[in-house]
Amino acid sequence: MSHQLGRVVSEILHRYFGELVQQVGNDLFIYGSKPISMIVKTTGLPRKQVIESLRTLLKFDLASFEPSVHEVVADYKLLPDNVLLLIRYPRYLLQIKSKYGTEAELLVEELLQQATSTATGLLVTVATKNKDDKEKNITILKLRDTFVSLATAGYIQQAPVADTKEGSSDVPSLVPVATIVPDLDTRQLLHAMTTGSLADIKDNIYWKVNYDRFHQDFRDDIMVKAMTRRIDDNAGELMRLLLQQMYLSSAAWAAESNPTPALDIREAVRRAADKSLLSQHVDHYLKVLEENGAGFVRRVGDAGGGQLVVCGRRAAGRLLEAVLDHVVTERLGSNAARIFRLIRAKKYIEEDDIQKHAMLPNKECKELTYKLLEEHFISVQPMRKAASAGGMAKAIYLYHIKTHDVAHTAQELCYRALHNCLRRAAHERNKHARLRDKQRRVRTIVHGMRMRGEPQQNIDDVEETLTPPELALLKDVEKRLKQLSAAELELDRNLFILNWYFMYSK
Amino acid sequence: MSSNKNDDPISDKILNIAKKNPKGISDKDIIAAVPDLSSAELVAAINKLLQQGVFDLFNQGGSLIYRLKAQTSKQAVKGADNEEKVVYNLIEEAGNKGIWIRDIRVRSNLANTQLTKVLKSLESKKVIKAVKCVNASKKKVYMLYNLEPDRSISGGAWYQDQDFESEFVDILNRQCLRFLQQRADKIKNNPKGPILGRTQSFATAVEVQKYITDLGISNVKLEVEDVVTILNTLVYDGKAESNVYPDGSKVYRAIESLIPPPGLVQVPCGVCPLVFKCCSTGLVTPQDCKYMDEWLEN
């Protein structure tokens, strides 16, 4: 909960929900949890607008509430981690599209936009929206099947419901419910499609996107890619199979999975038999993965042909180290990165020894070490001999790395960078708002004219209201915004690894 | 041995005992060895030997100890005066680690000016030499002329006149990496299985040393341990990993980072020197950032 996080969250809220929500969000971020009347007082907004903003925040699960000490009013609290997820939406869509196809993408997109929705409501909306799109050929039956498979795979889940138990206070509390894969009546759906009204269907189960399931996918992807880079494609494939086996027996984010017998892995490899090289050398690959795979996999026993464990905690640690290495390399140069790694490898090391091992000129080495210290990548521990008299006793300075602290440094940097990207994008949008508005209007008009079948001459006339310099400028702005949003996604990926590391250190 | 020149049987005997006891002998030892000796004869013999410079005289716990001088020192300081002898002995004791001038002064009890004179005269005779220490550039140490300075003093192959040759190290570092990278791909989809592939992608320090020697980029002869130091810098660069073979020899393999450059270093803020001064308002803001402008231009 740092100042930088507050700035990022504020920018994100501004982009997605506008100024009012941003103000309320800021207020909540600064003060922690507080009731509505207090928010009204500090923000100076009308009560109605505050309530409206809070409703938005609660709907998208960006804030939570709980009964205050008086038990009659609720205290509201912002959930900054969930706000950060807003910029991850494009990645969710890409992931689901590559796994389940276009229908799934449409469903998830709609669900993300609505935050929560009933199954039938969602299906009918998506089907109606894409009714005219001949290319995609979306039918409600296909959508229903996709919905069921998404629910089965856990990408969507039932939204928590209000606790209606006796004796609870005036403020309801939300309790999560186990997801039951729905059985949707085809005939009812088709009927609703034709009539266009949902009034006949009694469906009061609400659904929402299960972010955690997506995050598991992202995590797996990172691990598999890392192994592919370190060893080869087959090792990556093997890592994927190992992770699949892990899901069968352990919690998804376990620091260390329950042991999986190598026999099961061999069986799984045989079933996925398109990799002939992998199935030929499963045992060898397991051994190499274990010995050269950066400690992602560990052998715990020899029973049943070997027992393997996937070490999520260590993997996160290693990936964090890789991130930090990159950051140090880019910020202070490759020689600084060498010193950084050297200190990490030796745990505690004296300045003289750094020079000896890093093979750098004395002066440069000292300079880089102090720079690293200045930017909080390394720490120093002075060791003074207590009993010695006078100033003659030389203190020993031991350099070391506090991984957790450095990870926080990196996180702060990420927040700063993300804030700057968001801010810059907002600035670019504001600066060229008039032009972008004009372009949008021209497009709508042209679209309308095309629909009405007006002559090409007239359409051209309208299009020419945008002059060539304007068009060039628009293209330039478009490119900048694209680059900025790509950067935001990359930063989000970076933050994902950092958060994964922090998950275990709590 | 010079004792052969002594026709005197008493001196011979004393020398023999002294040779057997390199730590030195006392009066009692001599009397025990040569019992039929009057004290006057003994004193005369010892004085003679001391004059010849065969013995060093020490005072240990109140009794006098005679210790045989090493032969070389006796020859080397021929024609030198007493101060030079003392200083020479101190320098000789220090071996190839050398001795600092202040330590000589303290231990020899000579005045500063006198000591400098002595050292100069020894140096001009090419008996000793001054060597600059790599760790502390102003510190000079003295050692015998014919000795090769220790690695801790000269810094080994990486130093030329106590200047660290970082370019040389860089070149070697790059060549080693290239050698390892030539092999690294063998682990990828090796038809003979990954273990064999891994073995092929490993290189021992000896192999690397041979490669470097064959390249002929170094006019200094590089030992295996020098190459190991270079290979270790590659490990610290994150470009290689090391492993140990069953026979205990260290092997190296080129690797890639686990992840491609993360988002933080792809944006200008990740490498920006002003990032900690960047605020929403003020002189440094993301809106008017020059670095961002440049980044967005291309």
Side-chain angles (χ1 to χ4, degrees):
Chain A
M1 295 288 275
S2 65
H3 175 56
Q4 297 307 326
L5 179 60
R7 292 172 79 201
V8 176
V9 164
S10 164
E11 278 302 320
I12 296 176
L13 287 178
H14 182 250
R15 175 188 288 187
Y16 288 91
F17 302 108
E19 224 161 280
L20 289 178
V21 179
Q22 183 193 16
Q23 273 186 29
V24 174
N26 262 350
D27 198 51
L28 284 178
F29 184 86
I30 293 166
Y31 290 98
S33 74
K34 60 187 339 193
I36 291 178
S37 51
M38 292 299 287
I39 303 173
V40 171
K41 206 170 178 185
T42 43
T43 54
L45 294 170
R47 190 181 171 87
K48 211 173 154 195
Q49 284 178 342
V50 170
I51 292 176
E52 203 59 42
S53 307
L54 278 177
R55 193 177 286 162
T56 317
L57 288 175
L58 287 175
K59 185 178 169 194
F60 285 93
D61 204 14
L62 306 179
S64 64
F65 58 90
E66 56 182 11
S68 63
V69 274
H70 307 302
E71 296 274 323
V72 275
V73 283
D75 278 344
Y76 295 88
K77 207 170 114 188
L78 192 72
L79 302 171
D81 291 338
N82 287 5
V83 178
L84 283 176
L85 296 185
L86 285 172
I87 53 169
R88 206 172 278 172
Y89 280 5
R91 279 180 74 197
Y92 296 139
L93 296 182
L94 186 69
Q95 174 73 18
I96 207 72
K97 188 178 184 180
S98 55
K99 248 187 149 167
Y100 287 89
T102 322
E103 284 89 0
E105 189 198 0
L106 292 170
L107 281 173
V108 172
E109 190 179 3
E110 187 64 30
L111 195 54
L112 282 173
Q113 269 170 19
Q114 297 197 1
T116 52
S117 169
T118 60
T120 39
L122 180 70
L123 292 175
V124 171
T125 332
V126 175
T128 331
K129 267 190 189 168
N130 294 284
K131 209 162 43 179
D132 306 323
D133 201 336
K134 291 283 178 299
E135 270 174 48
K136 286 182 192 155
N137 193 18
I138 307 285
T139 66
I140 195 150
L141 292 181
K142 257 199 217 164
L143 283 174
R144 191 199 60 164
D145 292 343
T146 319
F147 185 88
V148 171
S149 49
L150 284 182
T152 319
Y155 287 99
I156 50 177
Q157 65 182 8
Q158 285 184 21
V161 292
D163 189 9
T164 49
K165 255 188 289 175
E166 287 295 312
S168 55
S169 61
D170 295 346
V171 180
S173 59
L174 294 174
V175 282
V177 282
T179 300
I180 300 157
V181 177
D183 189 18
L184 299 165
D185 192 347
T186 321
R187 215 177 313 140
Q188 270 186 350
L189 282 172
L190 285 173
H191 180 69
M193 266 298 278
T194 45
T195 57
S197 84
L198 289 165
D200 305 341
I201 303 169
K202 274 193 191 135
D203 187 358
N204 50 10
I205 299 173
Y206 280 82
W207 294 81
K208 63 173 202 154
V209 173
N210 181 10
Y211 299 118
D212 196 58
R213 182 69 186 76
F214 282 95
H215 295 168
Q216 286 167 28
D217 274 7
F218 294 158
R219 194 263 317 256
D220 293 358
D221 222 43
I222 294 174
M223 286 177 83
V224 170
K225 280 216 181 94
M227 282 304 102
T228 311
R229 279 173 78 92
R230 188 47 68 85
I231 305 173
D232 65 359
D233 303 341
N234 295 322
E237 188 60 31
L238 188 63
M239 189 73 225
R240 188 183 297 282
L241 291 169
L242 265 168
L243 284 164
Q244 274 171 18
Q245 290 290 328
M246 177 188 119
Y247 283 126
L248 300 179
S249 62
S250 343
W253 295 97
E256 281 205 349
S257 72
N258 292 327
T260 314
L263 214 62
D264 288 359
I265 304 289
R266 245 167 265 154
E267 198 55 43
V269 171
R270 207 161 301 141
R271 256 179 280 132
D274 56 329
K275 292 260 183 189
S276 60
L277 203 59
L278 178 59
S279 50
Q280 249 175 47
H281 300 285
V282 188
D283 288 332
H284 287 190
Y285 267 112
L286 278 177
K287 184 122 183 94
V288 171
L289 199 61
E290 185 195 323
E291 285 173 4
N292 295 71
F296 283 19
V297 178
R298 194 162 65 88
R299 187 178 289 263
V300 285
D302 291 322
Q307 303 263 319
L308 293 152
V309 159
V310 178
C311 309
R313 185 205 299 265
R314 202 178 321 164
R318 284 304 178 88
L319 289 164
L320 172 79
E321 285 173 5
V323 170
L324 295 178
D325 286 349
H326 275 295
V327 173
V328 173
T329 312
E330 295 298 325
R331 279 193 80 85
L332 299 172
S334 58
N335 285 343
R338 182 187 291 177
I339 295 172
F340 184 68
R341 275 202 205 81
L342 170 68
I343 296 173
R344 190 168 62 219
K346 302 274 178 197
K347 301 266 193 319
Y348 286 89
I349 186 167
E350 268 186 81
E351 198 173 293
D352 290 349
D353 290 338
I354 295 179
Q355 285 165 20
K356 213 189 291 168
H357 290 288
M359 302 289 290
L360 294 171
N362 278 1
K363 205 176 159 198
E364 192 190 345
C365 188
K366 267 187 197 160
E367 208 176 302
L368 289 174
T369 312
Y370 300 152
K371 274 238 179 74
L372 280 168
L373 196 62
E374 190 188 329
E375 301 218 355
H376 305 295
F377 289 120
I378 58 175
S379 318
V380 66
Q381 173 71 55
M383 304 275 283
R384 293 214 168 75
K385 287 176 197 122
S388 65
M392 282 300 284
K394 208 178 140 200
I396 302 168
Y397 292 93
L398 290 177
Y399 290 91
H400 59 279
I401 293 174
K402 288 180 182 153
T403 318
H404 192 263
D405 295 5
V406 183
H408 268 295
T409 311
Q411 198 183 28
E412 287 294 275
L413 265 175
C414 273
Y415 286 151
R416 272 176 187 276
L418 189 56
H419 167 267
N420 289 353
C421 283
L422 286 161
R423 187 74 192 225
R424 181 71 188 226
H427 177 66
E428 296 279 338
R429 280 201 190 91
N430 275 343
K431 211 164 71 179
H432 305 286
R434 189 195 63 82
L435 209 54
R436 283 161 58 82
D437 222 38
K438 186 175 171 189
Q439 188 191 30
R440 208 170 304 129
R441 243 177 306 142
V442 168
R443 271 191 194 152
T444 354
I445 293 169
V446 168
H447 183 72
M449 288 166 88
R450 286 236 172 83
M451 295 294 277
R452 288 194 295 274
E454 290 190 23
Q456 187 64 32
Q457 178 75 41
N458 295 0
I459 294 177
D460 285 350
D461 280 352
V462 175
E463 271 181 341
E464 270 165 21
T465 51
L466 279 172
T467 57
E470 278 179 338
L471 277 176
L473 189 59
L474 275 170
K475 210 175 146 200
D476 192 40
V477 173
E478 209 58 42
K479 207 199 89 197
R480 284 154 171 256
L481 288 177
K482 216 171 171 181
Q483 195 171 349
L484 282 167
S485 60
E488 282 158 25
L489 282 181
E490 284 300 320
L491 281 169
D492 177 61
R493 266 173 215 272
N494 203 158
L495 276 172
F496 180 79
I497 293 178
L498 293 172
N499 287 335
W500 178 21
Y501 171 78
F502 286 127
M503 191 184 291
Y504 297 114
S505 59
K506 262 173 203 158
Chain B
M1 194 95 191
S2 59
S3 58
N4 296 346
K5 287 185 280 178
N6 289 321
D7 315 317
D8 195 348
I10 304 169
S11 306
D12 264 357
K13 272 183 189 166
I14 295 172
L15 278 173
N16 277 335
I17 321 162
K19 266 187 231 168
K20 278 177 202 155
N21 298 300
K23 278 191 173 176
I25 47 172
S26 63
D27 281 338
K28 280 180 195 160
D29 293 328
I30 300 175
I31 292 168
V34 208
D36 52 343
L37 204 66
S38 72
S39 55
E41 276 175 314
L42 179 70
V43 169
I46 286 176
N47 273 343
K48 195 175 157 200
L49 285 170
L50 280 174
Q51 258 175 1
Q52 284 174 353
V54 184
F55 277 130
D56 270 337
L57 191 60
F58 292 97
N59 187 343
Q60 198 176 55
S63 62
L64 292 173
I65 299 281
Y66 309 96
R67 192 198 285 167
L68 205 60
K69 270 190 191 174
Q71 185 192 9
T72 47
S73 64
K74 235 179 58 200
Q75 285 175 342
V77 280
K78 231 172 235 172
D81 58 12
N82 275 336
E83 284 87 9
E84 285 186 18
K85 272 186 210 163
V86 169
V87 172
Y88 181 90
N89 285 340
L90 286 172
I91 292 173
E92 190 193 20
E93 243 173 66
N96 66 352
K97 289 246 163 99
I99 183 167
W100 193 21
I101 187 162
R102 203 173 122 184
D103 291 335
I104 304 180
R105 198 173 64 224
V106 169
R107 290 177 59 183
S108 67
N109 245 341
L110 290 172
N112 211 352
T113 42
Q114 199 182 5
L115 182 58
T116 356
K117 214 188 274 170
V118 169
L119 284 172
K120 253 197 196 130
S121 109
L122 284 174
E123 245 179 295
S124 64
K125 285 183 202 157
K126 299 225 163 176
V127 183
I128 61 165
K129 62 179 171 185
V131 177
K132 273 187 190 163
C133 194
V134 285
N135 298 328
S137 53
K138 282 192 183 143
K139 197 170 162 182
K140 245 201 259 178
V141 294
Y142 289 92
M143 66 181 70
L144 294 191
Y145 195 78
N146 52 355
L147 289 179
E148 186 67 28
D150 189 74
R151 287 183 88 95
S152 62
I153 303 297
S154 72
W158 317 120
Y159 287 86
Q160 179 117 48
D161 304 331
Q162 86 268 334
D163 281 331
F164 185 78
E165 289 194 81
S166 52
E167 281 142 39
F168 180 45
V169 172
D170 277 352
I171 290 169
L172 284 178
N173 180 297
R174 246 171 277 149
Q175 291 300 336
C176 286
L177 181 63
R178 187 193 284 176
F179 180 68
L180 293 184
Q181 274 170 346
Q182 281 168 5
R183 301 184 159 210
D185 282 341
K186 293 205 170 124
I187 198 170
K188 296 228 152 94
N189 297 319
N190 196 308
K192 286 177 186 155
I195 288 197
L196 210 71
R198 183 182 62 177
T199 318
Q200 283 174 355
S201 70
F202 275 135
T204 63
V206 180
E207 285 171 315
V208 180
Q209 188 223 10
K210 192 170 172 298
Y211 171 76
I212 297 289
T213 319
D214 290 349
L215 272 181
I217 45 172
S218 158
N219 44 13
V220 190
K221 173 100 177 66
L222 286 177
E223 301 298 324
V224 175
E225 57 185 298
D226 295 331
V227 176
V228 168
T229 338
I230 292 287
L231 287 169
N232 278 336
T233 61
L234 276 179
V235 175
Y236 298 135
D237 278 345
K239 289 170 184 159
E241 67 175 2
S242 73
N243 221 326
V244 180
Y245 265 172
D247 64 352
S249 60
K250 260 190 151 185
V251 285
Y252 296 83
R253 177 172 102 83
I255 51 166
E256 270 183 85
S257 171
L258 284 172
I259 48 169
L264 187 53
V265 300
Q266 291 178 26
V267 292
C269 304
V271 295
C272 178
L274 292 172
V275 68
F276 296 109
K277 291 183 180 153
C278 194
C279 294
S280 307
T281 54
L283 284 176
V284 189
T285 58
Q287 293 95 300
D288 317 315
C289 180
K290 286 253 167 20
Y291 299 115
M292 274 230 181
D293 283 342
E294 276 171 30
W295 174 61
L296 289 171
E297 280 317 311
N298 42 46

